């Protein structure tokens, strides 16, 4: 069966993934992933942030959940492995970009208080469970947020699928 969104996911999103051996942050639920993302940003922990993405050891599970024919699966596996070669730099860049956007808005996330996460269930892509997250924190009495679209679920927990997006104040 042709799944154009699944192909987009694997061709364009997976290049952002990196090698990871698992995270020291909890990722068992979407809410835990949301808080883990927040904590990595608050603590300026780029390495911890990177571990919230899937890595090479997750490729087979992702491919299995896509339910492709063996030939298509091998083709996509080769693409994914090639794309992961520079994923470390891409994820670090995404982390720094997000922190810079907050800094440009005068937000010191290091002085913030965690306020929670809203979770919106998305239609699954094959067997890959997906959610949208909206993360909230407070600084000096003002509420700020960022969002994570299409966070996915693997056996090891929830992961960042698409780089988080800074939303800003009160939005």
């Amino acid at each position: 069966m042709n799944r154009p969104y699944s192909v987009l996911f694997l061709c364009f999103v997976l290049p952002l993934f990196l090698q990871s051996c698992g995270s020291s942050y909890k990722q068992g639920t979407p809410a835990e992933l949301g808080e883990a993302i927040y904590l990595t940003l608050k603590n300026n922990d780029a390495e911890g942030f990177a571990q919230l993405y899937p890595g090479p050891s997750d490729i087979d599970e992702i491919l299995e959940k896509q339910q492709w024919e063996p030939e298509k699966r091998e083709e996509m596996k080769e693409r994914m492995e090639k794309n992961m070669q520079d994923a470390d730099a891409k994820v670090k860049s995404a982390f720094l970009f997000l922190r810079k956007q907050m800094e440009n808005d005068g937000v010191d996330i290091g002085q913030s208080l965690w306020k929670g996460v809203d979770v919106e269930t998305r239609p699954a892509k094959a067997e890959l469970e997906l959610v949208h997250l909206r993360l909230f924190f407070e600084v000096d009495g003002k509420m700020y947020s960022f969002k994570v679209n299409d966070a996915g679920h693997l056996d090891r927990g929830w992961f960042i699928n698409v780089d988080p997006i800074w939303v800003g104040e009160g939005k």
Side-chain angles (χ1 to χ4, degrees):
M1 182 184 326
N2 186 4
R3 292 183 174 88
Y5 291 109
S6 297
V7 173
L8 288 173
F9 165 78
L10 291 170
C11 292
F12 299 105
V13 175
L14 276 177
L16 300 176
F17 294 172
L18 70 144
Q19 297 180 5
S20 68
C21 301
S23 172
S24 58
Y25 296 92
K26 290 183 180 181
Q27 295 170 250
T29 66
E32 287 178 344
L33 173 63
E35 187 171 10
I37 295 167
Y38 163 78
L39 289 171
T40 63
L41 291 163
K42 180 177 180 166
N43 298 326
N44 199 22
D45 183 2
E47 184 177 312
F49 182 81
Q51 291 174 355
L52 301 175
Y53 286 78
S57 63
D58 298 313
I59 290 175
D60 287 334
E61 184 181 349
I62 292 168
L63 289 172
E64 183 179 312
K65 289 180 183 255
Q66 294 298 316
Q67 301 175 340
W68 280 319
E69 296 296 320
E71 304 81 37
K72 178 74 170 182
R73 184 179 170 150
E74 270 309 305
E75 175 189 338
M76 294 310 295
K77 182 174 184 174
E78 288 175 19
R79 282 187 188 175
M80 290 165 60
E81 288 171 343
K82 183 179 181 206
N83 288 336
M84 283 193 182
Q85 292 174 359
D86 64 347
D88 287 329
K90 289 179 181 179
V91 170
K92 183 176 182 180
S93 176
F95 176 83
L96 294 173
F97 181 71
L98 190 57
R99 289 203 37 107
K100 184 68 174 168
Q101 288 179 304
M102 288 184 277
E103 182 183 308
N104 289 344
D105 283 352
V107 176
D108 181 0
I109 194 168
Q111 300 301 314
S112 67
L113 298 172
W114 173 243
K115 290 298 182 179
V117 60
D118 288 342
V119 179
E120 176 190 344
T121 303
R122 303 286 300 150
K125 293 183 180 173
E127 291 184 17
L128 187 61
E129 189 177 356
L130 302 171
V131 296
H132 285 340
L133 303 175
R134 184 74 174 264
L135 294 77
F136 298 94
F137 62 94
E138 183 181 325
V139 179
D140 296 329
K142 295 179 183 175
M143 190 69 71
Y144 297 93
S145 69
F146 51 95
K147 62 184 177 178
V148 180
N149 292 325
D150 289 338
H153 185 257
L154 296 174
D155 290 343
R156 69 174 177 90
W158 287 86
F159 64 91
I160 299 172
N161 183 17
V162 179
D163 294 334
I165 300 166
W166 174 242
V167 176
E169 182 182 356
K171 299 174 186 169

